[in-house]
Amino acid sequence: MKSKLLLLFCALPLMAADPPGFVVWSASDLKAMDKKLSAKVDGQKFSSEQLDKFGNHYAMMAHREGDGSAELHEKDADIFVVQSGSATLIVGGEMVNAKTSAPNEVRGTSIKNGTEHKVGPGDIVHIPAKVPHQLMVGNAKFTYFVMKVAQ
Protein backbone atom coordinates (compact mmCIF):
# COMPACT_ATOMS: atom_id res chain seq x y z
CA MET A 1 0.00 0.00 0.00
CA LYS A 2 2.81 2.39 0.92
CA SER A 3 4.54 1.87 -2.45
CA LYS A 4 1.28 2.49 -4.37
CA LEU A 5 0.80 5.76 -2.50
CA LEU A 6 4.38 6.83 -3.24
CA LEU A 7 3.89 5.97 -6.93
CA LEU A 8 0.71 8.08 -7.02
CA PHE A 9 2.47 11.12 -5.52
CA CYS A 10 5.36 10.76 -7.98
CA ALA A 11 2.96 10.57 -10.95
CA LEU A 12 0.87 13.63 -9.96
CA PRO A 13 3.36 16.22 -11.26
CA LEU A 14 3.49 14.39 -14.61
CA MET A 15 -0.30 14.33 -14.90
CA ALA A 16 -0.61 18.02 -14.00
CA ALA A 17 1.64 19.33 -16.80
CA ASP A 18 0.07 21.23 -19.69
CA PRO A 19 -0.01 19.37 -23.01
CA PRO A 20 2.43 20.40 -25.76
CA GLY A 21 1.15 23.37 -27.75
CA PHE A 22 -1.12 24.67 -24.98
CA VAL A 23 -0.72 28.42 -24.38
CA VAL A 24 -2.56 31.08 -22.40
CA TRP A 25 -1.92 34.71 -23.24
CA SER A 26 -3.35 36.68 -20.33
CA ALA A 27 -5.00 40.07 -20.69
CA SER A 28 -1.99 41.60 -18.90
CA ASP A 29 0.41 39.85 -21.33
CA LEU A 30 -1.49 41.33 -24.28
CA LYS A 31 -1.61 44.79 -22.71
CA ALA A 32 2.16 44.71 -22.19
CA MET A 33 2.58 43.64 -25.83
CA ASP A 34 0.46 46.64 -26.90
CA LYS A 35 2.96 49.01 -25.24
CA LYS A 36 5.94 47.13 -26.67
CA LEU A 37 4.58 47.25 -30.22
CA SER A 38 3.65 50.91 -29.94
CA ALA A 39 7.33 51.67 -29.33
CA LYS A 40 8.38 49.74 -32.49
CA VAL A 41 6.06 51.33 -35.09
CA ASP A 42 7.75 51.53 -38.52
CA GLY A 43 7.50 54.10 -41.32
CA GLN A 44 4.18 52.57 -42.41
CA LYS A 45 2.83 53.13 -38.87
CA PHE A 46 2.71 49.38 -38.20
CA SER A 47 4.43 46.83 -35.96
CA SER A 48 3.79 43.17 -35.21
CA GLU A 49 5.31 40.23 -33.40
CA GLN A 50 4.69 36.53 -33.84
CA LEU A 51 3.73 34.96 -30.51
CA ASP A 52 3.85 31.26 -31.40
CA LYS A 53 3.44 28.81 -34.29
CA PHE A 54 1.32 25.63 -34.28
CA GLY A 55 1.20 23.38 -37.35
CA ASN A 56 -1.16 25.08 -39.82
CA HIS A 57 -1.64 28.30 -37.82
CA TYR A 58 0.23 30.92 -35.85
CA ALA A 59 -0.59 33.72 -33.43
CA MET A 60 0.68 37.27 -33.52
CA MET A 61 -0.04 40.73 -32.13
CA ALA A 62 -0.34 43.68 -34.50
CA HIS A 63 -0.43 47.41 -33.81
CA ARG A 64 -1.33 50.24 -36.19
CA GLU A 65 -1.09 54.00 -35.83
CA GLY A 66 -2.20 54.71 -39.39
CA ASP A 67 -4.24 53.16 -42.19
CA GLY A 68 -3.07 49.81 -43.53
CA SER A 69 -2.68 48.91 -47.17
CA ALA A 70 -5.23 46.69 -48.86
CA GLU A 71 -4.21 43.05 -48.55
CA LEU A 72 -5.23 39.57 -49.55
CA HIS A 73 -3.80 36.29 -48.27
CA GLU A 74 -4.08 33.56 -50.89
CA LYS A 75 -3.77 30.66 -48.41
CA ASP A 76 -4.39 32.06 -44.91
CA ALA A 77 -7.54 33.12 -43.12
CA ASP A 78 -7.21 35.91 -40.55
CA ILE A 79 -8.99 35.68 -37.24
CA PHE A 80 -8.46 38.68 -35.04
CA VAL A 81 -9.61 40.01 -31.71
CA VAL A 82 -9.47 43.76 -31.22
CA GLN A 83 -7.55 44.63 -28.05
CA SER A 84 -7.66 48.43 -28.09
CA GLY A 85 -8.69 51.32 -30.30
CA SER A 86 -11.22 51.33 -33.11
CA ALA A 87 -11.01 51.05 -36.88
CA THR A 88 -13.02 50.71 -40.03
CA LEU A 89 -12.44 47.34 -41.69
CA ILE A 90 -13.15 47.23 -45.41
CA VAL A 91 -13.71 43.73 -46.83
CA GLY A 92 -14.55 42.27 -50.22
CA GLY A 93 -14.66 44.30 -53.40
CA GLU A 94 -11.58 44.56 -55.54
CA MET A 95 -8.06 45.69 -54.74
CA VAL A 96 -6.71 48.75 -56.51
CA ASN A 97 -3.11 48.47 -57.82
CA ALA A 98 -2.78 44.88 -56.57
CA LYS A 99 0.76 43.47 -56.58
CA THR A 100 2.26 40.30 -55.11
CA SER A 101 4.37 41.45 -52.15
CA ALA A 102 5.53 38.04 -50.90
CA PRO A 103 4.65 34.41 -51.67
CA ASN A 104 0.84 34.06 -51.38
CA GLU A 105 0.47 37.70 -50.27
CA VAL A 106 -1.02 40.50 -52.36
CA ARG A 107 -1.04 44.21 -51.43
CA GLY A 108 -2.82 47.15 -52.99
CA THR A 109 -3.39 50.85 -52.39
CA SER A 110 -7.10 50.57 -51.55
CA ILE A 111 -10.29 48.55 -52.02
CA LYS A 112 -13.01 49.49 -54.48
CA ASN A 113 -16.65 48.49 -53.76
CA GLY A 114 -15.89 46.76 -50.45
CA THR A 115 -18.15 46.85 -47.39
CA GLU A 116 -17.22 48.81 -44.25
CA HIS A 117 -17.46 47.50 -40.69
CA LYS A 118 -16.66 49.45 -37.52
CA VAL A 119 -14.63 47.33 -35.09
CA GLY A 120 -13.54 48.00 -31.51
CA PRO A 121 -12.28 46.31 -28.32
CA GLY A 122 -13.58 42.76 -27.86
CA ASP A 123 -14.78 42.40 -31.46
CA ILE A 124 -13.73 39.18 -33.21
CA VAL A 125 -13.27 39.09 -36.99
CA HIS A 126 -12.83 36.16 -39.39
CA ILE A 127 -11.56 36.97 -42.88
CA PRO A 128 -11.34 33.93 -45.20
CA ALA A 129 -8.37 33.39 -47.51
CA LYS A 130 -8.59 35.23 -50.85
CA VAL A 131 -10.77 38.06 -49.47
CA PRO A 132 -9.40 41.61 -49.88
CA HIS A 133 -9.36 43.59 -46.63
CA GLN A 134 -8.01 46.86 -45.28
CA LEU A 135 -7.93 48.47 -41.83
CA MET A 136 -8.48 52.23 -41.68
CA VAL A 137 -7.50 53.76 -38.34
CA GLY A 138 -6.62 57.35 -39.27
CA ASN A 139 -4.04 58.69 -36.81
CA ALA A 140 -5.38 56.66 -33.88
CA LYS A 141 -3.82 53.60 -32.21
CA PHE A 142 -5.28 50.17 -32.90
CA THR A 143 -3.98 46.86 -31.47
CA TYR A 144 -5.27 43.39 -32.29
CA PHE A 145 -4.45 39.74 -31.64
CA VAL A 146 -4.25 37.76 -34.90
CA MET A 147 -4.49 34.05 -35.60
CA LYS A 148 -3.44 33.16 -39.16
CA VAL A 149 -4.81 29.79 -40.27
CA ALA A 150 -3.73 28.02 -43.47
CA GLN A 151 -6.76 26.90 -45.50
Side-chain angles (χ1 to χ4, degrees), residues 88-106:
T88 299
L89 173 64
I90 305 169
V91 295
E94 95 186 55
M95 254 199 281
V96 176
N97 299 319
K99 291 184 172 62
T100 299
S101 60
N104 302 307
E105 296 289 324
V106 179

Side-chain angles (χ1 to χ4, degrees), residues 25-35 51 61 83 145:
W25 293 288
S26 69
S28 62
D29 292 339
L30 299 179
K31 191 165 188 74
M33 183 65 73
D34 185 1
K35 291 178 183 176
L51 300 175
M61 285 291 289
Q83 298 297 305
F145 172 90

